[in-house]
Amino acid sequence: MKVILEQDKCVASGQCVVAAPAVFDQRDEDGIAVLLDPAPAAESAEDVRHAADVCPALAIQLTE
Amino acid sequence: MSATRAPAPGHVLVVGASAAGLTTAEALRRQGYTGSLTLLGAEEHLPYDRPPLSKQVLSGQWEESRAVLRPPETIERLGATLLLGDPAAHLDLPARTVRTAAGRELRADAVVIATGLTPRPPAGGAGPRGTHLLRTLDDARALRADLATASRLVVVGDGVLGSEVAATARRLGVDTTLLGPQPYPMAAQLGTDAARLLAESHTRNGVRLLPGDGAAGLIADDHHRVSGVRLVSGPVLPADVVLVAIGAVPDTGWLTDSGLTLDDGVLCDAHCRAGEGVYAAGDVARWHHAALDRPVRLENRANATAQALAVAGTILGAERPYQPVPSFWTDQFDARVQVYGVISPDAEVTVVEGDPAGGRFVAAHRTEGALTAVVGWNMPKQARLRAAELSAVYSRPRPASRATL
Ligand SMILES: Cc1cc2nc3c(=O)[nH]c(=O)nc-3n(C[C@H](O)[C@H](O)[C@H](O)COP(=O)(O)OP(=O)(O)OC[C@H]3O[C@@H](n4cnc5c(N)ncnc54)[C@H](O)[C@@H]3O)c2cc1C
Ligand code: SF4
């Protein structure tokens, strides 16, 4: 799985970090999401899909 | 799927093709639904997102196409029938059949109502030319076009929408006045302390605030174009563009004689069920929040997504009540504000991180010692971490708070 994060769409809600903390974090200074792992392992896939689902800015795109 | 689950419906019809509607459709597929799926929307446009309409789309910072919810190929892959530009006109509840304005008859095993809100028009109707409401992409286009040549904008209404548009217009260099009944813009949504800071930010950036005032009427020139706003306090403010942002009402006109309970939205149980095989999600839904122990209707973007996911789960047999921590964000000038929980006017407010004077802080709102809300000002990550405590409160099955929305 590959993860693409569009930081300029991100509204800093942090939902992705709650859903998949191994793959996403937020910058301390402005809360914009950062991708910790653009190609997460299979065991995180479900969490990452959930992160993409709950993102209120639709800033997370996934390719299998 | 476990054996205890109800059989999946053969046809799901989602009415309203925006944030909540499209997310419901996507979530159904993601959760394994393979039956037929129809997405019916009143607007001609492919599903798009609303928060950018008062921000990046209105300012011109984004091309309109950036506001689409999903690229066309992604929507194609959903395997849904997309019927756009044809509003639902009637629901026959026992037959679970929706009739559309164009005369289609759509029968389904499950119907999801996700028709959102319609803005409240100014008293006396649409108002003279140059008077705007803002809910749709077409509204945003019209407002943007008028702002390009405007010399004076008056925003009537000091809630989230009015405040955001005032900020965006001012950034475009338009002379802007914001008026409304509250002492500070968004006081109801932010609490007095943060709203006062917001007011300072507006004033510093050149927005004229008229707190505690309202529009008594709109004045037109000889060409039936708006030329001013008569204030409740007496004087007339000159204006060539007026935005009326005095709230919006659930879009339930098409359900009037359906037999569903309509009471400031479509009334639902804790699982977002409005009737046998009928569900509601997003701004239009008023459902029983099990932790708050009362019906709640939220008008924010995070809820549209989360409630859509919950409804998809309910349709497919998950018996999990929907009881989120309400949350929203707003962007105005240099402030990005996050609010979690329920703001109540008499909460005790303490700054728990950062410093308001420095333009970054997190404030905790407590009532009788219990945390009821967290407000973050340019500290989104820290606000989210502080709000984690609310999740525990909100996930309890029983009444957690006596605060009112
Ligand atoms: C300008 C603006 C800025 C915003 N900014 C923020 C923000 O910064 N943060 C935040 O948290 N929230 C914000 N919101 C709120 C957020 O956009 C809404 O909560 C969200 O759009 C709700 O989604 P929804 O799908 O429930 O309703 P909507 O987005 O309103 O979608 C409902 C859809 O149903 C369609 N429809 C209506 N009637 C019918 C019918 N009879 N038949 C078929 N279709 C019908 C409508 O045309 C519409 O496309 C903003 C809203 C606006 C308008
Ligand atoms: S969920 Fe979306 S909007 Fe929120 S922080 Fe993550 S990427 Fe940004």
Side-chain angles (χ1 to χ4, degrees):
Chain A
M1 171 186 273
K2 282 225 186 77
V3 185
I4 299 161
L5 172 68
E6 290 180 78
Q7 284 184 323
D8 69 327
K9 276 193 159 184
C10 171
V11 298
S13 70
Q15 315 245 34
C16 55
V17 188
V18 177
V23 177
F24 300 96
D25 196 3
Q26 279 177 287
R27 296 198 294 233
D28 289 341
E29 64 275 22
D30 61 6
I32 297 300
V34 286
L35 199 51
L36 303 175
D37 183 357
E43 64 262 28
S44 314
E46 207 32 57
D47 289 351
V48 174
R49 267 189 214 106
H50 188 58
D53 283 348
V54 295
C55 172
L58 298 145
I60 302 167
Q61 285 356 300
L62 306 177
T63 54
E64 297 303 318
Chain B
M1 229 181 271
S2 80
T4 53
R5 284 192 163 193
H11 178 209
V12 179
L13 169 63
V14 180
V15 186
S18 188
L22 179 62
T23 306
T24 304
E26 290 188 339
L28 281 167
R29 289 296 189 225
R30 180 97 79 229
Q31 294 176 30
Y33 174 66
T34 53
S36 61
L37 188 55
T38 304
L39 195 53
L40 176 71
E43 296 177 72
E44 299 279 355
H45 306 288
L46 278 178
Y48 62 87
D49 210 7
R50 273 164 234 280
L53 298 184
S54 51
K55 310 176 184 75
Q56 300 92 331
V57 169
L58 188 61
S59 70
Q61 191 189 333
W62 280 14
E63 295 278 327
E64 285 176 3
S65 59
R66 287 229 65 185
V68 295
L69 283 167
R70 295 288 184 205
E73 344 39 289
T74 308
I75 292 181
E76 188 102 353
R77 263 184 272 127
L78 255 184
T81 306
L82 195 57
L83 303 174
L84 296 176
D86 186 12
H90 180 260
L91 169 68
D92 180 338
L93 191 58
R96 247 176 270 129
T97 299
V98 168
R99 184 163 32 80
T100 71
R104 290 183 167 109
E105 298 266 347
L106 304 167
R107 215 211 73 77
D109 304 300
V111 176
V112 179
I113 299 167
T115 46
L117 308 176
T118 311
R120 239 180 236 125
R129 266 188 305 126
T131 309
H132 294 260
L133 301 170
L134 178 56
R135 183 75 194 174
T136 66
L137 181 57
D138 295 342
D139 295 342
R141 277 182 190 162
L143 180 59
R144 191 180 55 204
D146 256 9
L147 286 181
T149 56
S151 51
R152 285 196 197 89
L153 167 71
V154 172
V155 177
V156 179
D158 55 2
V160 188
L161 189 64
S163 304
E164 284 193 356
V165 169
T168 302
R170 189 58 211 130
R171 277 211 155 155
L172 290 171
V174 178
D175 178 289
T176 302
T177 303
L178 173 60
L179 57 96
Q182 308 183 90
Y184 309 107
M186 287 185 65
Q189 292 91 356
L190 297 179
T192 310
D193 295 354
R196 188 186 301 119
L197 285 178
L198 185 71
E200 284 168 15
S201 163
H202 274 259
T203 307
R204 199 168 50 244
N205 284 284
V207 174
R208 202 175 303 106
L209 297 179
L210 293 180
D213 215 329
L218 302 175
I219 315 284
D221 64 15
D222 296 343
H223 308 288
H224 196 65
R225 189 165 173 106
V226 73
S227 62
V229 175
R230 184 181 304 286
L231 299 176
V232 171
S233 59
V236 171
L237 275 183
D240 48 12
V241 182
V242 172
L243 174 77
V244 177
I246 53 175
V249 292
D251 215 328
T252 53
W254 64 286
L255 297 167
T256 311
D257 56 0
S258 64
L260 293 174
T261 308
L262 305 177
D263 176 12
D264 181 32
V266 178
L267 200 66
C268 299
D269 69 8
H271 301 269
C272 312
R273 266 185 302 245
E276 186 65 36
V278 180
Y279 311 80
D283 286 8
V284 77
R286 190 143 169 275
W287 88 103
H288 185 83
H289 192 301
L292 294 171
D293 197 28
R294 59 186 165 80
V296 165
R297 192 171 64 74
L298 299 176
E299 297 180 6
N300 66 60
R301 185 58 185 79
N303 177 66
T305 295
Q307 195 164 21
L309 296 176
V311 162
T314 304
I315 292 173
L316 298 177
E319 282 296 323
R320 219 175 308 115
Y322 177 60
Q323 46 190 85
V325 178
S327 73
F328 76 94
W329 83 94
T330 181
D331 301 325
Q332 294 174 42
F333 297 114
D334 53 2
R336 167 160 274 166
V337 185
Q338 250 86 17
V339 179
Y340 293 90
V342 177
I343 298 288
S344 100
D346 41 41
E348 199 180 301
V349 180
T350 347
V351 173
V352 290
E353 226 169 310
D355 179 7
R360 295 186 77 210
F361 68 95
V362 180
H365 290 223
R366 293 177 192 280
T367 301
E368 290 166 18
L371 187 68
T372 51
V374 171
V375 175
W377 188 285
N378 286 330
M379 287 192 118
K381 181 179 184 178
Q382 296 79 358
R384 172 178 61 78
L385 292 170
R386 293 280 176 175
E389 198 185 317
L390 284 172
S391 312
V393 177
Y394 276 80
S395 56
R396 274 182 224 142
R398 269 197 238 114
S401 158
R402 277 183 275 131
T404 47
L405 273 185

